């Protein structure tokens, strides 16, 4: 695909070589994410960061990624602080805000809303999550993390075995990640959820048509015995029409250290797109896993910075100029001695 000026709305836009390009560009961003170097390659550029639904890591990591490339960030967070509450359409909002920005990132609770917005935008729009539909940048950072974690174990994405657990019906990160995994060979995906929260049939069918070995399960223990990755997700209570219905499913598939030790292979990687629900009635990923070296959840968030920097650099066509506009850092940097994902 031609990244320059492109909207990033769905992972369906990507072929294997496009994913490889994002990943190699993300690798090249590590010195800047770690503040070993600074770059001003996007000096003067403005990101419009528009989040009409709650977010911590996606919103802040888009903003930080843009700042790390030298650009400025303008934020709109929540309907109540935008003219959408006065009845302005998303399209008019796009026409206005694309006059102020060089690229826009957007999250919105309705499926398809970011694509509708992008149609009226004069600048590239990146989907930060639209309803239950897709979360393409999360899927890219998840796959980037999977690739790095497997590399350490002498494996690669071809031949991967992954268990995806939780609310697969509403989980947009799962919807996007399963589509990306379909680009690879010999992948086995075990879907573990309550029957009512199964992955939509259309996505399962597409995966099978692409050659993925899809197994559907409703019980945790046997499903995590022989997998490279356990990918846990939260019950997406904001997608249910009433909270009582979400309560029926909360806490059904909990992973803690005792269950991990009993059922998983010793080197199974534990992932979660976050936020994990740490309330006692949910606790899908227990805090007692925090010292487990295979818990990759904060490596995922670190990697998100690299992947989002890569996407900005590709969409704004500066990927090959980042180093030219770089310099040494001037301040004490506690990250100097660390690697981002280790
Ligand atoms: N993973 C993710 O989308 O997290 P936030 O909701 O905090 O952005």
């Amino acid at each position: 695909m031609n990244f320059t000026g492109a909207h990033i709305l769905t992972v369906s836009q990507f072929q294997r070589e496009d994913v490889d390009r994002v990943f190699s560009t993300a690798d090249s961003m590590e010195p800047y994410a770690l503040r070993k170097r600074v770059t001003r390659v996007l000096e003067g550029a403005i990101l419009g960061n528009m989040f009409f639904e709650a977010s911590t890591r996606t919103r802040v990591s888009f903003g930080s990624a843009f700042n790390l490339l030298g650009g400025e960030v303008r934020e709109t967070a929540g309907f109540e602080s935008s003219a959408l509450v006065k009845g302005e359409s998303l399209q008019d909002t796009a026409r206005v805000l694309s006059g102020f920005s060089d690229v826009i990132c957007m999250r919105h609770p309705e499926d398809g809303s970011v694509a509708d917005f992008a149609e009226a935008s004069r600048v590239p729009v990146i989907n930060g999550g639209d309803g239950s539909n897709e979360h393409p940048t999360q899927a890219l950072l998840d796959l980037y993390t999977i690739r790095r974690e497997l590399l350490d174990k002498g494996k690669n994405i071809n031949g991967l075995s992954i268990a995806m657990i939780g609310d697969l019906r509403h989980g947009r990160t799962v919807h996007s990640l399963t589509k990306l995994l379909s680009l690879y060979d010999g992948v086995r995906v075990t879907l573990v959820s309550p029957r009512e929260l199964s992955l939509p049939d259309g996505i399962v069918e597409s995966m099978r048509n692409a050659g993925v070995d899809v197994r559907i399960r409703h019980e945790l223990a046997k499903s995590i015995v022989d997998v490279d990755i356990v990918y846990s997700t939260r019950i997406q209570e904001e997608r249910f029409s009433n909270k009582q219905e979400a309560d029926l499913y909360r806490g059904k598939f909990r992973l803690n250290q005792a269950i991990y030790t009993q059922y998983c292979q010793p080197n199974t990687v534990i992932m979660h797109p976050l936020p994990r629900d740490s309330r006692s009635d949910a606790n899908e990923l227990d805090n007692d896993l925090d010292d487990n070296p295979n818990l990759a959840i904060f490596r995922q968030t670190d990697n998100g910075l690299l992947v989002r920097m890569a996407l900005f650099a590709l969409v704004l066509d500066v990927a090959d100029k980042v180093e030219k506009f770089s310099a040494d850092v001037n301040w004490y940097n506690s990250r100097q001695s660390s690697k981002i994902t280790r």
Side-chain angles (χ1 to χ4, degrees):
M1 73 182 261
N2 180 9
F3 281 94
T4 306
H7 301 307
I8 307 292
L9 301 173
T10 164
V11 292
S12 305
Q13 293 170 244
F14 294 91
Q15 300 300 315
R16 274 272 288 275
E17 61 267 25
D18 305 317
V19 175
D20 290 346
R21 182 134 183 249
V22 173
F23 289 177
S24 61
T25 308
D27 288 343
S28 73
M29 296 297 166
E30 189 160 306
Y32 308 98
L34 288 173
R35 284 68 149 181
K36 289 182 176 166
R37 304 277 297 164
V38 286
T39 178
R40 308 300 306 164
V41 72
L42 287 185
E43 188 161 26
I46 293 177
L47 163 68
N49 210 19
M50 301 172 51
F51 275 68
F52 298 113
E53 192 180 69
S55 170
T56 295
R57 70 228 81 232
T58 310
R59 180 174 60 82
V60 179
S61 87
F62 270 133
S64 302
F66 209 74
N67 288 149
L68 285 166
L69 291 168
E72 301 278 341
V73 181
R74 295 286 173 271
E75 292 221 345
T76 299
F79 287 105
E80 64 286 350
S81 58
S82 86
L84 289 168
V85 285
K86 300 176 187 171
E88 187 167 45
S89 68
L90 268 182
Q91 288 74 15
D92 276 2
T93 308
R95 290 176 188 114
V96 172
L97 291 177
S98 57
F100 305 156
S101 315
D102 297 282
V103 57
I104 292 173
C105 296
M106 183 173 169
R107 171 173 290 186
H108 192 284
E110 285 171 28
D111 294 21
S113 53
V114 181
D116 289 346
F117 179 94
E119 268 190 35
S121 172
R122 289 171 277 164
V123 299
V125 175
I126 301 180
N127 184 356
D130 62 320
S132 297
N133 183 37
E134 280 231 29
H135 196 343
T137 65
Q138 178 72 42
L140 285 165
L141 77 87
D142 286 340
L143 192 62
Y144 182 77
T145 303
I146 290 170
R147 187 190 73 143
R148 289 183 77 143
E149 298 287 327
L150 292 181
L151 213 58
D152 282 352
K153 296 169 174 52
K155 297 182 177 183
N156 64 54
I157 303 171
N158 293 318
L160 167 75
S161 173
I162 181 170
M164 305 181 98
I165 300 157
D167 183 354
L168 308 183
R169 177 174 152 206
H170 301 106
R172 58 192 172 200
T173 72
V174 173
H175 300 172
S176 292
L177 182 55
T178 48
K179 290 177 197 169
L180 274 188
L181 288 172
S182 302
L183 296 173
Y184 294 82
D185 302 322
V187 173
R188 190 178 84 207
V189 178
T190 305
L191 302 167
V192 189
S193 71
R195 286 176 204 283
E196 299 80 1
L197 302 185
S198 296
L199 192 68
D201 291 343
I203 301 178
V204 174
E205 196 183 324
S206 298
M207 289 167 75
R208 286 188 168 141
N209 288 342
V212 178
D213 176 1
V214 183
R215 300 171 184 196
I216 297 175
R217 303 281 184 267
H218 305 289
E219 191 256 339
L220 182 69
K222 287 187 197 144
S223 310
I224 57 175
V225 167
D226 185 21
V227 295
D228 301 303
I229 310 276
V230 171
Y231 186 95
S232 174
T233 65
R234 178 179 64 90
I235 300 298
Q236 310 279 301
E237 69 179 37
E238 63 275 29
R239 309 278 173 236
F240 289 81
S241 49
N242 66 68
K243 186 179 168 303
Q244 286 72 24
E245 195 193 345
D247 289 343
L248 294 174
Y249 306 114
R250 210 187 306 281
K252 288 260 188 260
F253 299 111
R254 296 172 189 223
L255 185 64
N256 59 27
Q257 186 58 49
I259 294 169
Y260 180 91
T261 305
Q262 187 173 354
Y263 295 104
C264 290
Q265 300 295 315
N267 59 358
T268 297
V269 177
I270 307 161
M271 295 177 61
H272 191 302
L274 302 182
R276 56 177 157 171
D277 187 342
S278 294
R279 291 171 289 192
S280 58
D281 61 341
N283 214 22
E284 67 262 4
L285 219 50
D286 198 283
N287 286 337
D288 74 358
L289 290 161
D290 288 359
D291 293 329
N292 185 323
N294 293 307
L295 185 76
I297 57 177
F298 301 114
R299 296 194 284 273
Q300 285 171 263
T301 52
D302 281 357
N303 288 337
L305 206 52
L306 302 176
V307 167
R308 292 186 172 113
M309 289 174 78
L311 288 171
F312 286 134
L314 290 166
V315 166
L316 295 176
D317 197 21
V318 295
D320 58 354
K321 301 185 188 79
V322 173
E323 196 180 343
K324 182 175 168 200
F325 290 89
S326 72
D328 291 335
V329 295
N330 298 317
W331 62 89
Y332 171 71
N333 183 353
S334 52
R335 292 181 189 80
Q336 286 283 13
S337 58
S338 71
K339 274 184 80 183
I340 193 161
T341 57
R342 300 290 173 271

PDB file of all heavy atoms in Angstrom, residues 204-230:
ATOM      1  N   VAL A 204     -14.799 -15.352  11.989  1.00  0.00           N
ATOM      2  CA  VAL A 204     -14.334 -16.748  12.073  1.00  0.00           C
ATOM      3  C   VAL A 204     -14.244 -17.336  10.663  1.00  0.00           C
ATOM      4  O   VAL A 204     -13.239 -17.983  10.298  1.00  0.00           O
ATOM      5  CB  VAL A 204     -15.281 -17.588  12.956  1.00  0.00           C
ATOM      6  CG1 VAL A 204     -14.883 -19.063  12.925  1.00  0.00           C
ATOM      7  CG2 VAL A 204     -15.275 -17.064  14.401  1.00  0.00           C
ATOM      8  N   GLU A 205     -15.279 -17.089   9.862  1.00  0.00           N
ATOM      9  CA  GLU A 205     -15.312 -17.641   8.500  1.00  0.00           C
ATOM     10  C   GLU A 205     -14.144 -17.094   7.666  1.00  0.00           C
ATOM     11  O   GLU A 205     -13.463 -17.845   6.957  1.00  0.00           O
ATOM     12  CB  GLU A 205     -16.647 -17.272   7.855  1.00  0.00           C
ATOM     13  CG  GLU A 205     -16.962 -18.084   6.619  1.00  0.00           C
ATOM     14  CD  GLU A 205     -18.270 -17.619   5.994  1.00  0.00           C
ATOM     15  OE1 GLU A 205     -19.208 -17.252   6.735  1.00  0.00           O
ATOM     16  OE2 GLU A 205     -18.314 -17.601   4.745  1.00  0.00           O
ATOM     17  N   SER A 206     -13.905 -15.778   7.792  1.00  0.00           N
ATOM     18  CA  SER A 206     -12.782 -15.182   7.031  1.00  0.00           C
ATOM     19  C   SER A 206     -11.455 -15.801   7.449  1.00  0.00           C
ATOM     20  O   SER A 206     -10.583 -16.067   6.600  1.00  0.00           O
ATOM     21  CB  SER A 206     -12.688 -13.674   7.285  1.00  0.00           C
ATOM     22  OG  SER A 206     -13.835 -13.048   6.851  1.00  0.00           O
ATOM     23  N   MET A 207     -11.288 -16.021   8.757  1.00  0.00           N
ATOM     24  CA  MET A 207     -10.031 -16.623   9.218  1.00  0.00           C
ATOM     25  C   MET A 207      -9.871 -18.017   8.637  1.00  0.00           C
ATOM     26  O   MET A 207      -8.794 -18.389   8.161  1.00  0.00           O
ATOM     27  CB  MET A 207     -10.017 -16.711  10.751  1.00  0.00           C
ATOM     28  CG  MET A 207      -9.879 -15.374  11.456  1.00  0.00           C
ATOM     29  SD  MET A 207     -10.258 -15.539  13.197  1.00  0.00           S
ATOM     30  CE  MET A 207      -8.819 -16.340  13.794  1.00  0.00           C
ATOM     31  N   ARG A 208     -10.963 -18.798   8.699  1.00  0.00           N
ATOM     32  CA  ARG A 208     -10.870 -20.185   8.176  1.00  0.00           C
ATOM     33  C   ARG A 208     -10.598 -20.162   6.683  1.00  0.00           C
ATOM     34  O   ARG A 208      -9.793 -20.960   6.175  1.00  0.00           O
ATOM     35  CB  ARG A 208     -12.155 -20.943   8.506  1.00  0.00           C
ATOM     36  CG  ARG A 208     -12.197 -21.313   9.996  1.00  0.00           C
ATOM     37  CD  ARG A 208     -13.348 -22.224  10.335  1.00  0.00           C
ATOM     38  NE  ARG A 208     -13.173 -22.760  11.693  1.00  0.00           N
ATOM     39  CZ  ARG A 208     -14.147 -22.930  12.574  1.00  0.00           C
ATOM     40  NH1 ARG A 208     -15.398 -22.627  12.244  1.00  0.00           N
ATOM     41  NH2 ARG A 208     -13.895 -23.412  13.765  1.00  0.00           N
ATOM     42  N   ASN A 209     -11.239 -19.244   5.967  1.00  0.00           N
ATOM     43  CA  ASN A 209     -10.991 -19.145   4.522  1.00  0.00           C
ATOM     44  C   ASN A 209      -9.539 -18.794   4.225  1.00  0.00           C
ATOM     45  O   ASN A 209      -9.004 -19.156   3.173  1.00  0.00           O
ATOM     46  CB  ASN A 209     -11.908 -18.087   3.890  1.00  0.00           C
ATOM     47  CG  ASN A 209     -13.349 -18.579   3.821  1.00  0.00           C
ATOM     48  OD1 ASN A 209     -13.609 -19.780   3.922  1.00  0.00           O
ATOM     49  ND2 ASN A 209     -14.285 -17.662   3.680  1.00  0.00           N
ATOM     50  N   ALA A 210      -8.914 -18.059   5.161  1.00  0.00           N
ATOM     51  CA  ALA A 210      -7.504 -17.673   4.972  1.00  0.00           C
ATOM     52  C   ALA A 210      -6.548 -18.775   5.428  1.00  0.00           C
ATOM     53  O   ALA A 210      -5.327 -18.610   5.367  1.00  0.00           O
ATOM     54  CB  ALA A 210      -7.218 -16.382   5.734  1.00  0.00           C
ATOM     55  N   GLY A 211      -7.097 -19.891   5.927  1.00  0.00           N
ATOM     56  CA  GLY A 211      -6.245 -21.026   6.300  1.00  0.00           C
ATOM     57  C   GLY A 211      -5.895 -21.107   7.770  1.00  0.00           C
ATOM     58  O   GLY A 211      -5.066 -21.938   8.166  1.00  0.00           O
ATOM     59  N   VAL A 212      -6.505 -20.229   8.592  1.00  0.00           N
ATOM     60  CA  VAL A 212      -6.218 -20.289  10.035  1.00  0.00           C
ATOM     61  C   VAL A 212      -6.968 -21.480  10.636  1.00  0.00           C
ATOM     62  O   VAL A 212      -8.136 -21.739  10.296  1.00  0.00           O
ATOM     63  CB  VAL A 212      -6.667 -18.975  10.727  1.00  0.00           C
ATOM     64  CG1 VAL A 212      -6.419 -19.045  12.232  1.00  0.00           C
ATOM     65  CG2 VAL A 212      -5.950 -17.772  10.113  1.00  0.00           C
ATOM     66  N   ASP A 213      -6.289 -22.206  11.530  1.00  0.00           N
ATOM     67  CA  ASP A 213      -6.919 -23.308  12.267  1.00  0.00           C
ATOM     68  C   ASP A 213      -7.632 -22.683  13.474  1.00  0.00           C
ATOM     69  O   ASP A 213      -6.980 -22.294  14.443  1.00  0.00           O
ATOM     70  CB  ASP A 213      -5.816 -24.289  12.706  1.00  0.00           C
ATOM     71  CG  ASP A 213      -6.351 -25.418  13.573  1.00  0.00           C
ATOM     72  OD1 ASP A 213      -7.562 -25.464  13.834  1.00  0.00           O
ATOM     73  OD2 ASP A 213      -5.523 -26.255  14.000  1.00  0.00           O
ATOM     74  N   VAL A 214      -8.951 -22.543  13.383  1.00  0.00           N
ATOM     75  CA  VAL A 214      -9.718 -21.872  14.441  1.00  0.00           C
ATOM     76  C   VAL A 214     -10.421 -22.918  15.304  1.00  0.00           C
ATOM     77  O   VAL A 214     -11.125 -23.784  14.785  1.00  0.00           O
ATOM     78  CB  VAL A 214     -10.779 -20.921  13.840  1.00  0.00           C
ATOM     79  CG1 VAL A 214     -11.520 -20.184  14.961  1.00  0.00           C
ATOM     80  CG2 VAL A 214     -10.149 -19.926  12.883  1.00  0.00           C
ATOM     81  N   ARG A 215     -10.207 -22.830  16.611  1.00  0.00           N
ATOM     82  CA  ARG A 215     -10.871 -23.733  17.552  1.00  0.00           C
ATOM     83  C   ARG A 215     -11.719 -22.897  18.509  1.00  0.00           C
ATOM     84  O   ARG A 215     -11.239 -21.875  19.015  1.00  0.00           O
ATOM     85  CB  ARG A 215      -9.844 -24.539  18.328  1.00  0.00           C
ATOM     86  CG  ARG A 215      -9.001 -25.364  17.356  1.00  0.00           C
ATOM     87  CD  ARG A 215      -7.837 -26.028  17.999  1.00  0.00           C
ATOM     88  NE  ARG A 215      -7.064 -26.694  16.938  1.00  0.00           N
ATOM     89  CZ  ARG A 215      -6.162 -27.619  17.148  1.00  0.00           C
ATOM     90  NH1 ARG A 215      -5.895 -28.003  18.383  1.00  0.00           N
ATOM     91  NH2 ARG A 215      -5.502 -28.176  16.137  1.00  0.00           N
ATOM     92  N   ILE A 216     -12.946 -23.313  18.746  1.00  0.00           N
ATOM     93  CA  ILE A 216     -13.849 -22.538  19.597  1.00  0.00           C
ATOM     94  C   ILE A 216     -14.080 -23.295  20.894  1.00  0.00           C
ATOM     95  O   ILE A 216     -14.470 -24.476  20.871  1.00  0.00           O
ATOM     96  CB  ILE A 216     -15.167 -22.256  18.838  1.00  0.00           C
ATOM     97  CG1 ILE A 216     -14.843 -21.393  17.613  1.00  0.00           C
ATOM     98  CG2 ILE A 216     -16.192 -21.565  19.750  1.00  0.00           C
ATOM     99  CD1 ILE A 216     -15.990 -21.111  16.687  1.00  0.00           C
ATOM    100  N   ARG A 217     -13.783 -22.646  22.016  1.00  0.00           N
ATOM    101  CA  ARG A 217     -13.877 -23.288  23.325  1.00  0.00           C
ATOM    102  C   ARG A 217     -14.621 -22.372  24.298  1.00  0.00           C
ATOM    103  O   ARG A 217     -14.679 -21.154  24.103  1.00  0.00           O
ATOM    104  CB  ARG A 217     -12.471 -23.558  23.890  1.00  0.00           C
ATOM    105  CG  ARG A 217     -11.579 -24.404  22.988  1.00  0.00           C
ATOM    106  CD  ARG A 217     -11.930 -25.892  23.091  1.00  0.00           C
ATOM    107  NE  ARG A 217     -11.019 -26.709  22.303  1.00  0.00           N
ATOM    108  CZ  ARG A 217     -11.220 -27.090  21.051  1.00  0.00           C
ATOM    109  NH1 ARG A 217     -12.325 -26.715  20.410  1.00  0.00           N
ATOM    110  NH2 ARG A 217     -10.351 -27.855  20.414  1.00  0.00           N
ATOM    111  N   HIS A 218     -15.131 -22.977  25.367  1.00  0.00           N
ATOM    112  CA  HIS A 218     -15.850 -22.188  26.377  1.00  0.00           C
ATOM    113  C   HIS A 218     -15.305 -22.470  27.772  1.00  0.00           C
ATOM    114  O   HIS A 218     -15.969 -22.204  28.768  1.00  0.00           O
ATOM    115  CB  HIS A 218     -17.358 -22.475  26.291  1.00  0.00           C
ATOM    116  CG  HIS A 218     -17.900 -22.252  24.907  1.00  0.00           C
ATOM    117  ND1 HIS A 218     -18.033 -20.998  24.355  1.00  0.00           N
ATOM    118  CD2 HIS A 218     -18.286 -23.137  23.943  1.00  0.00           C
ATOM    119  CE1 HIS A 218     -18.491 -21.114  23.120  1.00  0.00           C
ATOM    120  NE2 HIS A 218     -18.644 -22.397  22.843  1.00  0.00           N
ATOM    121  N   GLU A 219     -14.107 -23.013  27.805  1.00  0.00           N
ATOM    122  CA  GLU A 219     -13.498 -23.372  29.088  1.00  0.00           C
ATOM    123  C   GLU A 219     -12.007 -23.033  29.014  1.00  0.00           C
ATOM    124  O   GLU A 219     -11.361 -23.259  27.989  1.00  0.00           O
ATOM    125  CB  GLU A 219     -13.721 -24.875  29.307  1.00  0.00           C
ATOM    126  CG  GLU A 219     -13.406 -25.388  30.675  1.00  0.00           C
ATOM    127  CD  GLU A 219     -12.076 -26.137  30.698  1.00  0.00           C
ATOM    128  OE1 GLU A 219     -11.582 -26.599  29.649  1.00  0.00           O
ATOM    129  OE2 GLU A 219     -11.528 -26.231  31.802  1.00  0.00           O
ATOM    130  N   LEU A 220     -11.476 -22.439  30.096  1.00  0.00           N
ATOM    131  CA  LEU A 220     -10.131 -21.859  30.035  1.00  0.00           C
ATOM    132  C   LEU A 220      -9.006 -22.902  30.084  1.00  0.00           C
ATOM    133  O   LEU A 220      -8.140 -22.933  29.206  1.00  0.00           O
ATOM    134  CB  LEU A 220      -9.944 -20.861  31.186  1.00  0.00           C
ATOM    135  CG  LEU A 220      -8.599 -20.133  31.216  1.00  0.00           C
ATOM    136  CD1 LEU A 220      -8.477 -19.161  30.052  1.00  0.00           C
ATOM    137  CD2 LEU A 220      -8.405 -19.393  32.537  1.00  0.00           C
ATOM    138  N   ALA A 221      -9.028 -23.761  31.105  1.00  0.00           N
ATOM    139  CA  ALA A 221      -7.845 -24.556  31.451  1.00  0.00           C
ATOM    140  C   ALA A 221      -7.272 -25.327  30.259  1.00  0.00           C
ATOM    141  O   ALA A 221      -6.084 -25.199  29.935  1.00  0.00           O
ATOM    142  CB  ALA A 221      -8.182 -25.508  32.606  1.00  0.00           C
ATOM    143  N   LYS A 222      -8.133 -26.129  29.589  1.00  0.00           N
ATOM    144  CA  LYS A 222      -7.615 -26.962  28.495  1.00  0.00           C
ATOM    145  C   LYS A 222      -7.185 -26.128  27.291  1.00  0.00           C
ATOM    146  O   LYS A 222      -6.408 -26.590  26.449  1.00  0.00           O
ATOM    147  CB  LYS A 222      -8.693 -27.957  28.051  1.00  0.00           C
ATOM    148  CG  LYS A 222      -8.926 -29.073  29.047  1.00  0.00           C
ATOM    149  CD  LYS A 222      -9.889 -30.092  28.446  1.00  0.00           C
ATOM    150  CE  LYS A 222     -10.445 -30.976  29.545  1.00  0.00           C
ATOM    151  NZ  LYS A 222     -11.844 -31.340  29.326  1.00  0.00           N
ATOM    152  N   SER A 223      -7.699 -24.907  27.210  1.00  0.00           N
ATOM    153  CA  SER A 223      -7.430 -24.067  26.033  1.00  0.00           C
ATOM    154  C   SER A 223      -6.068 -23.400  26.076  1.00  0.00           C
ATOM    155  O   SER A 223      -5.596 -22.872  25.073  1.00  0.00           O
ATOM    156  CB  SER A 223      -8.501 -22.976  25.914  1.00  0.00           C
ATOM    157  OG  SER A 223      -9.778 -23.537  26.004  1.00  0.00           O
ATOM    158  N   ILE A 224      -5.424 -23.388  27.248  1.00  0.00           N
ATOM    159  CA  ILE A 224      -4.148 -22.660  27.365  1.00  0.00           C
ATOM    160  C   ILE A 224      -2.961 -23.594  27.568  1.00  0.00           C
ATOM    161  O   ILE A 224      -1.859 -23.151  27.858  1.00  0.00           O
ATOM    162  CB  ILE A 224      -4.215 -21.619  28.513  1.00  0.00           C
ATOM    163  CG1 ILE A 224      -4.574 -22.279  29.856  1.00  0.00           C
ATOM    164  CG2 ILE A 224      -5.224 -20.526  28.178  1.00  0.00           C
ATOM    165  CD1 ILE A 224      -4.539 -21.326  31.048  1.00  0.00           C
ATOM    166  N   VAL A 225      -3.206 -24.892  27.348  1.00  0.00           N
ATOM    167  CA  VAL A 225      -2.168 -25.889  27.654  1.00  0.00           C
ATOM    168  C   VAL A 225      -0.987 -25.817  26.683  1.00  0.00           C
ATOM    169  O   VAL A 225       0.160 -25.932  27.091  1.00  0.00           O
ATOM    170  CB  VAL A 225      -2.795 -27.303  27.652  1.00  0.00           C
ATOM    171  CG1 VAL A 225      -1.723 -28.376  27.643  1.00  0.00           C
ATOM    172  CG2 VAL A 225      -3.696 -27.465  28.856  1.00  0.00           C
ATOM    173  N   ASP A 226      -1.277 -25.600  25.410  1.00  0.00           N
ATOM    174  CA  ASP A 226      -0.234 -25.759  24.405  1.00  0.00           C
ATOM    175  C   ASP A 226      -0.227 -24.557  23.455  1.00  0.00           C
ATOM    176  O   ASP A 226      -0.349 -24.724  22.247  1.00  0.00           O
ATOM    177  CB  ASP A 226      -0.496 -27.071  23.639  1.00  0.00           C
ATOM    178  CG  ASP A 226       0.610 -27.369  22.664  1.00  0.00           C
ATOM    179  OD1 ASP A 226       1.712 -26.830  22.842  1.00  0.00           O
ATOM    180  OD2 ASP A 226       0.357 -28.126  21.706  1.00  0.00           O
ATOM    181  N   VAL A 227      -0.095 -23.371  24.021  1.00  0.00           N
ATOM    182  CA  VAL A 227      -0.114 -22.171  23.173  1.00  0.00           C
ATOM    183  C   VAL A 227       1.138 -21.332  23.440  1.00  0.00           C
ATOM    184  O   VAL A 227       1.724 -21.378  24.516  1.00  0.00           O
ATOM    185  CB  VAL A 227      -1.384 -21.305  23.424  1.00  0.00           C
ATOM    186  CG1 VAL A 227      -2.654 -22.043  23.001  1.00  0.00           C
ATOM    187  CG2 VAL A 227      -1.482 -20.841  24.869  1.00  0.00           C
ATOM    188  N   ASP A 228       1.529 -20.559  22.413  1.00  0.00           N
ATOM    189  CA  ASP A 228       2.654 -19.634  22.585  1.00  0.00           C
ATOM    190  C   ASP A 228       2.220 -18.386  23.338  1.00  0.00           C
ATOM    191  O   ASP A 228       3.001 -17.806  24.091  1.00  0.00           O
ATOM    192  CB  ASP A 228       3.189 -19.200  21.206  1.00  0.00           C
ATOM    193  CG  ASP A 228       3.648 -20.371  20.366  1.00  0.00           C
ATOM    194  OD1 ASP A 228       4.521 -21.112  20.844  1.00  0.00           O
ATOM    195  OD2 ASP A 228       3.117 -20.559  19.248  1.00  0.00           O
ATOM    196  N   ILE A 229       0.982 -17.960  23.064  1.00  0.00           N
ATOM    197  CA  ILE A 229       0.491 -16.689  23.605  1.00  0.00           C
ATOM    198  C   ILE A 229      -0.892 -16.895  24.219  1.00  0.00           C
ATOM    199  O   ILE A 229      -1.768 -17.506  23.588  1.00  0.00           O
ATOM    200  CB  ILE A 229       0.325 -15.624  22.488  1.00  0.00           C
ATOM    201  CG1 ILE A 229       1.573 -15.495  21.614  1.00  0.00           C
ATOM    202  CG2 ILE A 229      -0.146 -14.285  23.069  1.00  0.00           C
ATOM    203  CD1 ILE A 229       2.656 -14.609  22.118  1.00  0.00           C
ATOM    204  N   VAL A 230      -1.085 -16.370  25.413  1.00  0.00           N
ATOM    205  CA  VAL A 230      -2.429 -16.223  25.984  1.00  0.00           C
ATOM    206  C   VAL A 230      -2.772 -14.745  25.872  1.00  0.00           C
ATOM    207  O   VAL A 230      -2.057 -13.892  26.415  1.00  0.00           O
ATOM    208  CB  VAL A 230      -2.467 -16.657  27.461  1.00  0.00           C
ATOM    209  CG1 VAL A 230      -3.788 -16.282  28.088  1.00  0.00           C
ATOM    210  CG2 VAL A 230      -2.234 -18.152  27.588  1.00  0.00           C
TER     211      VAL A 230
END
